[in-house]
Every structure is written in structure tokens, then in C-alpha cells.
Amino acid sequence: MQAGRPWLWGLGPPGAGPPPRTPRNTRGGGRRPARRAENGYRSYDEDDLRLLQQIRTLQDFGFDLEETRPFVDCLRAGHPAGDSCPASLAVYRRKLDELDALIGQLVSVRAEVGAQLARAELEASADLPGGPPPRCEMGGQP
């Protein structure tokens, strides 16, 4: 590998599944450089696996990569869980507020769709048995 060129992170440590995103160029961003085994392959330990599992779990819950940073920092600081630090708890609170807003929007949209369905069913039932006659789009005649 040439210096300064981005590298692709493979599948990560066994049991971690595929990576949530492929980080490029490990310089900066708080990432640790990859350790290498004697054969040249990257070497991962249990701490690396815990970090990756934490990120994957949070992303499965809808957290973006930046939102996982406080959890990772908490684990790297030696805490037993990624959500045992105040910064992680703040991210949880923000995510819950975001979810509550989305749920409110979905409830509103559902009510509108339900009202449209009720209106359409009422109009269709007024002209039973088959509803209104089809209109010909070409000639404008029924």
C-alpha cells in the first residue's frame, strides 16, 4: 500500500459482520492505526470487536456514524458499556426527540390517508353496485 492512499477496510474481525461503512484513510478522526500480524493481515482484538458491534447496533437503530462517536469514545475510555457516559446519554435523548417528531408526523399522515380512504369509500358506495361509470380519457365521454 502506498502512503497517503485510502485503504478499504475488509470484513473486520470474525463475528462482527460486514462493516457499517467503509472508513477510508485512518489518519485523523480519532481512529487508531491498524495493527498487523506477522503475515501482514490486520489484527483485531476483543476491544475492536466491541467497538464495531457497538457501532453496528447503533446504526441498526438509525444512528448515523457521527452519532456513534460518544459511545465509541466511552468504550475507549475504559467504561464497561458505550452508553455509560453523559455524552452517550445526550445522544440517546436527542435520538428519542427525533423519533418522537417522526412518530408525530407519521400519525398525522396516517390520519390524512385514513380520511381520504373514508371519503373515497363513501363516494364509491353512493353509486353501488359498481361505483361511478368509467370515464374515457380520450373523448371525455362516459
Side-chain angles (χ1 to χ4, degrees), residues 19-125:
R21 300 226 169 103
T22 304
R24 296 179 185 270
N25 198 348
T26 59
R27 293 166 191 75
R31 295 186 208 108
R32 297 183 296 186
R35 291 175 302 281
R36 299 285 178 169
E38 289 180 21
N39 61 6
Y41 289 109
R42 289 184 186 88
S43 174
Y44 300 96
D45 60 18
E46 289 300 315
D47 290 337
D48 295 323
L49 181 59
R50 283 183 48 212
L51 292 174
L52 185 58
Q53 288 173 331
Q54 178 76 72
I55 292 168
R56 298 272 312 173
T57 298
L58 291 168
Q59 287 191 320
D60 287 347
F61 293 152
F63 289 71
D64 64 34
L65 195 56
E66 186 60 32
E67 290 172 319
T68 68
R69 187 176 305 276
F71 298 86
V72 170
D73 291 344
C74 192
L75 285 171
R76 284 186 177 159
H79 294 273
D83 58 4
S84 59
C85 296
S88 303
L89 299 177
V91 172
Y92 272 155
R93 287 185 192 99
R94 282 194 305 269
K95 183 56 77 173
L96 283 174
D97 289 343
E98 180 183 318
L99 290 170
D100 288 340
L102 291 172
I103 290 168
Q105 291 173 355
L106 288 172
V107 167
S108 176
V109 168
R110 188 190 189 291
E112 289 180 35
V113 170
Q116 290 293 330
L117 174 62
R119 180 200 50 78
E121 288 177 335
L122 184 61
E123 287 177 4
S125 67

Side-chain angles (χ1 to χ4, degrees), residues 135-141:
R135 291 184 299 192
C136 177
E137 297 287 327
M138 301 281 287
Q141 299 176 359

